[in-house]
Amino acid sequence: MLSIVRATLLAFTGLALVPALARGQVQTSPVPSAPAASGIGTETRLPALVVSATRSERTLADQPMSVTVVPKEQILETPAQALDDVLRTTVGINLPLIASYQIHPTGNSFSMRGLGGIRGLVMLDGVPLNDPFFGYVQWSRVPMENIERVEVVRGASASIWGNYAMGGVVNIITRKPDRTAFSASGGGGSYGTYRGDGSADVVLSDAVKIRGNFNAWGTAGFDQIQPAYGPMFAPTSFNAQTGQVAAYFDPDPTLSANVRVNIFNENQVLRSPLLTNNQQYYDIAGNLTKKLGWGDLTVTAFHQQSRAVSNTTATPAGTAFGFGEYVQGIHNTPVWSTGASAQLSGRVNDIVRLASIGVDFQQISGSDTTAILSQAGSQIRTDNGSGQQRFAGVFGQLDIFPVESVEVLLSARFQNYLNFDGYDGAPGGQGTVPDSAQNSFDPRVSVLWTPTSNIGLRAAAYTAFRAPNLDNLYRAFSTTSLVFLPNAQLTPERLKGVEAGFDLTFGPVTGQFTAFYQEVTNLITLRTLAPTELPAGFFFGTKNINAGKAIVQGIELQAGWQIMPGLKLDANYTTVSSKIVENQFDPASIGKQQSGIPTQQAAATLSYSDPRGWRAAARFRWIGQSWGDNANTLPLDSFTVFDVSAGYRFAKGIEPFVEIQNLFNQYYIADNSGFGPPQQGTPLTIFAGLKVKF
């Protein structure tokens, strides 16, 4: 805490030097202080954009919190096959070092500000995208061609959004038709990678607009595991198909509504021929907004169903590891989730410029049934776990301007969380689980002071919670000799945090500094079972637990420079200390950096575009050392990667393009969990194609 306070005081002292350094620069128009918005995963300022991730649409300049907006142009220009590779250089976002389509979906954790695990909320048009059963994010469900922008709000947002928003919120906004148009794109590249996308925007009238999109892509994959580990291992291959139809209705100036339907299918072969995964998602969501003269009423509803079938494998008896495998388990995981929300908001007067109150609800039901097989293929036993969860919340928000230069944003939520119909059928499990309920009250206070049009000073304090998901509570995972057990007695994690920072705008130069401090109690982690606690037939095992406390503190620095029209430089740097400070079950983890969280990272992007149709971008990203385990015995060394892209748009809407990831073919280990050989990150990959709009 003291190191963060010292850094904050030094940074605020440095403000006195900024006007002198910027003297002589021409400011073309006064720009209100605001958090930075994103360039290609890094930061620059886009003051005209509207941010809805605070659950109330406001301009970017009106946000007394740390916010980034990534617009569609930068998303499409970034060398990436899925959205996670675009966002991994955005300040505050923590993703696995390995790309989402190169690992099993359960490895696609998402957190913010160094919290680790699954401690961040991702939404698609305001509807949760986190998997209801596991909590992970399946990034391939959202084709990048269908995105208008991505909004990133750093810092706990549970006071507005509830569960999972412990570290912050990412809201993916899809495109809305403004005219009748059609587009298609396609391309191919290294390792048998291909992608095709087609969309149609149809404007039937000012009141009715329709958008359809279909996307298919896949890859034969590269060798993630070194040959020395055995001949059994193979490239991770992947193919996915996504379809979406959305309709938008504006029958009069006071009423707007939309409905969208999404379908997603994915197939993976993961590291070895028998280690496979197949998933389908089907979801429908709708939104209605009615202007009431003095305010707006917004109602949202959604329903989602999914199914995943995954194989686990084991080494046959008498065979060396890496020289053979058989299917040891078949997981079948059906899940559904239904939710709705209603919010009433409006302006009260010149002092209270926004007052809102709302309610929301989500119910989740899921099960995981695993057929455990012998080497001969006969079924030995069935492991199963199932349950339901219900979240119901009441939330409110007040945006107060006591004086014109000071904004105070107050928000709070009362949340009720219920587990019911639980069943723990893991080896040694307790069977039927009694129902349990928890309540949580989570407030947030955010303050923004703009002493001049160039400088904004921010501060915030907040609490948040994260409930254990159905995977944590009821789903077991095992091999022939190892077992990883759930825990139906888990209770929610709690967070308390503070942050402070400033935003600067001096002509073509922008900057942002934020320091934060967070304490997480009742931390959900795992412990190693003693030999006497292991179910019969297993030699090693772990169990999920609530244990102790973690302290997470860090500094975020962002800067942008519009060098000249069309030429822009953005850069950022983050340092995070994320350590468990209390854990009676695993003393070896105390004082160590949490797994998967680099202590430092930096990124920079130089982008160029001109009216003639040329565009180009170069992205640099450096990731400092991290660890594959909480005891810090499995290192992931630091590495540097350069990505580049270029394209030329002809007058008739035809654009050839090329994208290169890892330009200098830097070898690095992206996964080193200890439950298998270390896995290599994305090598030099070239992808080229053609985009057509008409």
Side-chain angles (χ1 to χ4, degrees), residues 492-573:
E493 300 175 324
R494 309 285 178 172
L495 177 144
K496 295 180 180 179
V498 295
E499 64 180 77
F502 57 79
D503 309 303
L504 306 173
T505 302
F506 287 95
V509 179
T510 61
Q512 184 182 98
F513 170 92
T514 306
F516 58 88
Y517 176 87
Q518 305 167 115
E519 291 185 0
V520 182
T521 55
N522 220 26
L523 185 74
I524 296 175
T525 181
L526 53 83
R527 69 175 178 90
T528 300
L529 297 174
T532 56
E533 298 175 294
L534 289 169
F538 294 99
F539 301 100
F540 176 83
T542 67
K543 185 174 184 176
N544 296 332
I545 57 168
N546 289 110
K549 181 170 72 172
I551 292 180
V552 183
Q553 53 188 330
I555 293 172
E556 300 163 344
L557 295 170
Q558 305 164 64
W561 178 24
Q562 190 73 47
I563 302 170
M564 57 182 289
L567 183 62
K568 178 178 59 178
L569 176 64
D570 301 299
N572 64 60
Y573 169 81

Side-chain angles (χ1 to χ4, degrees), residues 36 87 197 240 283 306 356 396 400 451 463 475 514 570 601 645-646 667:
L87 297 179
D197 183 89
D283 64 90
S306 66
S356 63
I400 303 170
T463 68
R475 179 182 182 267
T514 306
D570 301 299
Q601 57 190 77
S645 69
Y667 177 85

